[in-house]
Amino acid sequence: MAKYSQIYELIKSITDESSFMETLTLVQGKSSLEEPAGEGVVSGFATIGDIQVGIFANNFDVLSGSIGKKSAKKISKCIEDSVKMNIPVIGILETSGARFGEGIKAMEGYGGIIKAMNLAYGVVPTIIVLKGNCYGMASYISTCCDCCISFDKAKLATSSPLILASNTKIDVEKVGTVEAHSAKSGLISAVVKTNDELRTKISDVLNYLLVPDTDSEDDANRVCVKLTSNSKVSEIIAEVFDKNSFMELKAAYAREVVVGFARLNGTAVGVVANNSEISDRLTARGARKISDFLTTCISFGLPIVNLVDCAGVENNLTDENDSLIRDISDMLYCYNACDNEKISVIIGKAIGLGYVAFASKRSFDYTIAWESAYIGMLDSTATANLLYADDIAKAKDKAKAEQEFADAYAEAKGSATYVAESGYIDNVILPPLTRQYLIAAVQMYGAKR
């Protein structure tokens, strides 16, 4: 039992007191490796905040957490039983990879784990925790989930860092780090440092996905007096949604986009916001980040709220095989194929695809705009140069003339009021009233769920 103390301690710390019931406790192999009872995997069922869950976890102290045929079957069964019971799956990974001595048997075991996770994804909430080093095919398990939470010192790689970094100038210590996967690959949804932080993150995710409505201590009629047309997106989120309810995911990845869960008068919603402080253009990474998040919202019926401030798509200056077009197309499919409530607030610009993707009445149930918003096919300066090129060319002060024509066009044809009069926006509002309108819209379209 001594070798299992650390992993048992972790499971104990994230689950409700005395709720963990272990399964297949004494499973062991019959090879010459003389595997210990349990084969380095702990599995069973417990509750987290009174929500029943299935849990499996590697124990790195047993054969470096390597996974063989028996331990793989143990993991697969835990996942399959969780799906049958319609409860979330929590996986805790810390492994050196497949058990080399078992060869193809270990590979077949991995096939079973990945298939079980694939079939669970979208049916029940799936959360993967990276406890320490996670190498080899186990790394792919971390992507088969709604949320991947990592301890700050964990590492994730398709092979040993020594192998990946061989014959290159790559620093081995930087291979597969949390920093790399948080900011560059976008695989990690949240980072924690302690067991208590981990329990809080898991509990929050489960509550957003499985408890659609709760009593709110915030005032549904609260006016967001601090909001103006110059407010930052972080300030808007903090003011509009229930106080302290926003849980951001993948914060370090594609920072021009903000995604996460929040509540509106107690109702759980998915939030997608453009962060124009970083960039007002949608990128391939930003589109992937949104698509991944929308998939989870769709699976569990969360209303989707967009806060729009997007001037279109980044310039695609690379070759035709670049992923930008494909990634944005995938994002558009996610938006248009889902039946969830979709509500959009244009807080700044909605230009070109910025309007089509995030605010179009063809896709969204309810679209409102702040009175300061600008909506158009192109930005007002580009439009002025197309429509009034001759007049601008004849002007003594071309820059001044360009600005005057741009301002005139923005006010006449690009204003939120003009677009609303054409029937493409449901209402034009003052920023402080945003919360009240969103709560009303969520309640109004709640019948879609």
Side-chain angles (χ1 to χ4, degrees):
M1 188 65 72
K3 285 191 174 183
Y4 289 87
S5 59
Q6 284 190 345
I7 198 61
Y8 275 118
E9 188 62 34
L10 176 57
I11 292 173
K12 179 181 177 181
S13 68
I14 65 173
T15 58
D16 298 341
E17 186 176 359
S18 302
S19 70
F20 181 62
M21 182 183 74
E22 190 171 359
T23 58
L24 301 176
T25 309
L26 301 180
V27 167
Q28 58 185 8
K30 296 181 180 180
S31 71
S32 58
L33 293 176
E34 298 181 356
E35 294 91 340
E39 283 228 339
V41 170
V42 177
S43 66
F45 301 93
T47 59
I48 299 177
D50 293 328
I51 295 175
Q52 189 174 358
V53 300
I55 297 178
F56 67 86
N58 297 114
N59 179 15
F60 199 77
D61 291 330
V62 177
L63 300 175
S64 300
S66 59
I67 296 176
K69 176 184 176 181
K70 289 280 187 177
S71 51
K73 283 188 175 181
K74 191 172 178 178
I75 293 172
S76 298
K77 181 164 177 54
C78 177
I79 299 168
E80 292 161 356
D81 286 348
S82 297
V83 173
K84 291 176 183 177
M85 298 162 67
N86 196 32
I87 61 174
V89 175
I90 312 293
I92 303 172
L93 301 181
E94 185 176 20
T95 174
S96 60
R99 194 162 297 174
F100 185 77
E102 293 192 19
I104 193 64
K105 293 180 180 179
M107 297 296 96
E108 187 68 16
Y110 263 116
I113 296 172
I114 293 172
K115 179 180 179 180
M117 283 297 295
N118 288 158
L119 295 178
Y121 180 60
V123 178
V124 298
T126 49
I127 299 174
I128 292 296
V129 177
L130 302 180
K131 180 179 180 293
N133 295 338
C134 182
Y135 300 144
M137 277 189 286
S139 62
Y140 300 111
I141 300 172
S142 67
T143 67
C144 305
C145 62
D146 295 296
C147 186
C148 179
I149 303 172
S150 176
F151 280 95
D152 59 336
K153 302 301 182 183
K155 286 193 174 184
L156 179 71
T158 57
S159 187
S160 163
L162 291 173
I163 296 175
L164 291 173
S166 63
N167 300 320
T168 71
K169 296 180 180 180
I170 297 175
D171 184 349
V172 174
E173 294 301 317
K174 294 181 180 180
V175 174
T177 62
V178 170
E179 291 77 11
H181 287 300
S182 293
K184 295 180 180 180
S185 72
L187 294 180
I188 295 174
S189 304
V191 180
V192 297
K193 294 183 178 180
T194 67
N195 292 354
D196 288 342
E197 287 182 22
L198 176 61
R199 177 188 166 90
T200 299
K201 289 291 184 185
I202 293 175
S203 181
D204 286 346
V205 172
L206 295 179
N207 271 282
Y208 282 119
L209 298 184
L210 297 177
V211 185
D213 297 291
T214 63
D215 293 331
S216 176
E217 297 180 358
D218 205 345
D219 182 4
N221 294 312
R222 175 169 55 81
V223 177
C224 305
V225 293
K226 295 181 181 179
L227 292 188
T228 70
S229 60
N230 296 318
S231 294
K232 299 177 181 179
V233 71
S234 58
E235 297 168 341
I236 297 169
I237 291 172
E239 282 293 308
V240 167
F241 299 98
D242 292 358
K243 292 294 185 183
N244 302 315
S245 72
F246 181 61
M247 177 185 179
E248 186 174 2
L249 301 176
K250 301 186 179 182
Y253 178 68
R255 294 175 56 231
E256 68 278 4
V257 171
V258 176
V259 302
F261 303 119
R263 290 193 182 269
L264 276 169
N265 197 32
T267 298
V269 300
V271 181
V272 177
N274 304 113
N275 185 5
S276 58
E277 284 186 274
I278 303 300
S279 174
D280 64 1
R281 299 278 177 166
L282 183 64
T283 65
R285 286 185 173 188
R288 289 197 295 271
K289 181 175 177 178
I290 293 171
S291 297
D292 289 344
F293 180 67
L294 290 178
T295 300
T296 295
C297 292
I298 293 167
S299 297
F300 301 101
L302 269 63
I304 298 164
V305 177
N306 278 3
L307 301 177
V308 185
D309 186 9
C310 181
V313 182
E314 70 172 348
N315 292 324
N316 184 13
L317 301 178
T318 56
D319 62 51
E320 62 183 3
N321 293 320
D322 186 82
S323 67
L324 178 68
I325 295 173
R326 168 59 65 188
D327 289 325
I328 291 178
S329 295
D330 288 343
M331 182 197 73
L332 291 171
Y333 176 81
C334 286
Y335 270 122
N336 289 308
C338 80
D339 290 328
N340 301 45
E341 298 169 69
K342 290 175 286 187
I343 301 163
S344 183
V345 185
I346 303 173
I347 60 175
K349 302 176 290 292
I351 300 173
L353 189 121
Y355 171 79
V356 173
F358 301 123
S360 170
K361 286 294 292 179
R362 297 296 294 176
S363 178
F364 285 79
D365 298 302
Y366 190 71
T367 301
I368 56 178
W370 286 2
E371 61 176 1
S372 56
Y374 173 83
I375 303 154
M377 183 177 293
L378 299 171
D379 67 62
S380 57
T381 301
T383 302
N385 278 292
L386 283 174
L387 297 179
Y388 311 109
D390 293 340
D391 296 298
I392 293 172
K394 294 175 184 176
K396 292 182 179 180
D397 188 337
K398 293 181 175 55
K400 182 179 179 181
E402 180 186 70
Q403 188 62 52
E404 289 176 347
F405 279 115
D407 291 344
Y409 179 85
E411 183 176 351
K413 300 293 181 66
S415 70
T417 300
Y418 175 82
V419 176
E421 289 173 349
S422 302
Y424 298 114
I425 291 177
D426 290 294
N427 212 337
V428 179
I429 67 169
L430 297 171
L433 301 179
T434 306
R435 172 175 168 80
Q436 295 167 310
Y437 272 87
L438 282 178
I439 289 173
V442 168
Q443 293 174 341
M444 182 189 312
Y445 290 96
K448 288 188 68 175
R449 289 183 284 165

